[in-house]
Amino acid sequence: MQILLAGSVVLPLIGALAALLPAPPGLKGKNPDQAVLRHGVTVTGVVFAATLALAVGFDHGHPARMQATTDLSWIPALGIRVHLGVDGISLPLVVLTALLTFLCALYSYFNMPTGPSPKAFVALILVLESGTLATFAVLDLMLFFLAFEMVLIPMYFLIARWGGAGRQAAAWKFILYTLLGSVVMLLGLLLIGVKSGTFDMVALATDNGPKAQLSHTVQLVAVLAVGIGLAVKSPMWPLHSWLPDAHTAAPTVGSVLLAGVLLKMGTYGFVRIALPITPAGMHTFAPYLAALAAVGIVYGSLACLALVRTGAKGDLKRLIAYSSVGHMGFVLLGIASMTPTGVNGALFANIAHGLITGLLFFLVGGLKDRLGSTDLDTLAGATGAALYGRAPRFGGLLAFAAVASLGLPGLAGFWGEMLAMFGAFRPAAGLSRPAFWTFMALAGLGTLLTAAYLLLVVRRVCMGGTLKAPTSPQDTGGPATAPALPDLARYEYAAWSPLAVLTVLAGLWPAALLGLTNPAVQQLLGGGK
């Protein structure tokens, strides 16, 4: 188990170095580009298999206990250790990261984005995977910061070198926002380590451990500093403005990984660091966090409604990016409730958002490949997408992803948002119930607005205009006839079907995930008891 977890974190780094080397003669295939793309699929596939083995070998009877742990001294003078481990909170995120990265590598093998050499592309994807897995697996505050920062550079280059229009400006906005937030977060982490005498996250999470040395003032300052860095990555309104530009400009796999994995790093940090290590400071700031989360839910939905209206020239990728602001608002609202119900809902919503939004960005990328545009007015014209008639399987899958995203009962998107609102209905002791009821009402309004804009997207893109095929050469009446579109290709089935299947399974069997997270959340909120 130790080898599986440590290998999952380290193997992508080794694979990234190998990707930059010349391929051995027997493995080049048709050309070197194909060889390096196949290398990416192989490495990410092995990592995904290792995380599945880790999940199978995980002691499901004790999900609150850290398992597969590695604890080695690294910088003794500063008390920094190479401390790895997973529990019921982090294990699902580790598996989700490995799955999405593998599917992105598989998709790219058949549909490589336009840009420089595939060698650099594959190496950056693997470095990104390693940093993300490390973020969810490390149990030392300084290692958490290093892993948290490790993903920024590869994502910057993926946007700047393989992105679309406006990619340079979007990449700079992404790196500046996240780096500035991380500088403030580092100060908060150092404050915790200096005042408590340790950077060990497990020791700090116990009530009778080093956390007892953190005064209320220290906790307030630490939560504010650490929270700013986490909020930028989450992304929390009003620190979200880098996200729509980054998603719009990023290549398809960049958007999938950004929405499906990187956004979860911020909310995971709130659960792993802010809640257990600085509970008094978190209790003070919880109403403000909940208020910003509720505003973000409504704001993201209204922004999407503005983009979807006729004549707005809204971009479908940008719309899904704004929808992420709203969906992640539910995650932050559940965390702010500081209750097991709310935090479990937040963790469930994290996984659901990764599956559903990852699928949506894959589909939008496929739509752009087929039509050359993601402009909603173009897609809704009489000769626009009209996916139900021109590519029925593609249109059906897009409609499925849309209704999953709006929280249809029976699919994964429903449970997390519902539990987050239940947590807001009955927040932790000492938090204002009237205030949280207000935030819950705003979140409920957000669900209605979400349903409105996603159903409008389905109507405009999947139905389009009425298509009429001419019955004779002289028949020119009615709207222009649109040619058929390529329906789902085999590699698209392979890359997208797992996300659709897991969305259904998580919706029908939520206990599989909640059974992992709930004992760990109970112990985390109980001070390690």
Side-chain angles (χ1 to χ4, degrees), residues 367 379 384-403 454-465 467 483-485 487:
L367 198 59
L379 298 177
L387 292 178
Y388 286 156
R390 301 175 65 191
R393 294 181 182 85
F394 193 104
L397 190 57
L398 178 61
F400 166 82
V403 297
L454 284 171
L455 291 176
L456 283 172
V457 167
V458 171
R459 189 186 73 179
R460 300 191 71 199
V461 176
C462 294
M463 299 179 184
L467 302 180
L485 286 174
D487 216 328

Side-chain angles (χ1 to χ4, degrees), residues 8 92 236 275 296 434 479 484 491 504:
S8 298
M236 183 183 75
L275 281 177
Y491 74 92
V504 174

Side-chain angles (χ1 to χ4, degrees), residues 8-9 12 47 51 93-94 97-98 128-138:
S8 298
V9 174
V47 172
T51 61
L93 290 167
V94 167
T97 299
L128 185 68
E129 179 180 33
S130 178
T132 311
L133 289 171
T135 301
F136 299 135
V138 297

Side-chain angles (χ1 to χ4, degrees), residues 392-488:
R393 294 181 182 85
F394 193 104
L397 190 57
L398 178 61
F400 166 82
V403 297
S405 185
L406 64 83
L408 183 72
L411 298 177
F414 171 73
W415 296 106
E417 296 181 0
M418 182 193 70
L419 290 174
M421 288 193 286
F422 278 174
F425 178 74
R426 196 180 297 274
L431 296 176
S432 170
R433 290 194 72 180
F436 273 81
W437 286 350
T438 303
F439 305 145
M440 182 189 68
L442 290 173
L445 173 62
T447 62
L448 297 177
L449 296 175
T450 300
Y453 71 73
L454 284 171
L455 291 176
L456 283 172
V457 167
V458 171
R459 189 186 73 179
R460 300 191 71 199
V461 176
C462 294
M463 299 179 184
T466 303
L467 302 180
K468 178 182 177 181
T471 57
S472 67
Q474 292 76 29
D475 183 9
T476 57
T481 303
L485 286 174
D487 216 328
L488 292 176

Side-chain angles (χ1 to χ4, degrees), residues 274-347:
L275 281 177
I277 298 177
T278 55
M282 188 67 183
H283 193 278
T284 300
F285 282 108
Y288 304 101
L289 177 62
L292 293 174
V295 171
I297 293 170
V298 176
Y299 168 83
S301 300
L302 291 176
C304 291
L305 280 172
L307 289 171
V308 79
R309 62 186 175 86
T310 304
K313 290 293 181 181
D315 186 276
L316 189 52
K317 283 190 75 175
R318 195 173 189 86
L319 182 144
I320 298 172
Y322 272 110
S323 77
S324 292
V325 176
H327 289 305
M328 297 308 290
F330 282 98
V331 178
L332 292 170
L333 179 63
I335 294 170
S337 73
M338 298 187 69
T339 63
T341 301
V343 176
N344 276 302
L347 294 171

Side-chain angles (χ1 to χ4, degrees), residues 363-392:
L363 288 163
V364 174
L367 198 59
K368 187 171 185 178
D369 292 338
R370 287 162 169 79
L371 293 169
S373 174
T374 53
D375 178 82
L376 279 164
D377 288 338
T378 301
L379 298 177
T383 56
L387 292 178
Y388 286 156
R390 301 175 65 191

Side-chain angles (χ1 to χ4, degrees), residues 347-359:
L347 294 171
F348 196 101
N350 256 347
I351 301 300
H353 180 264
L355 295 172
I356 297 169
T357 308
L359 178 58

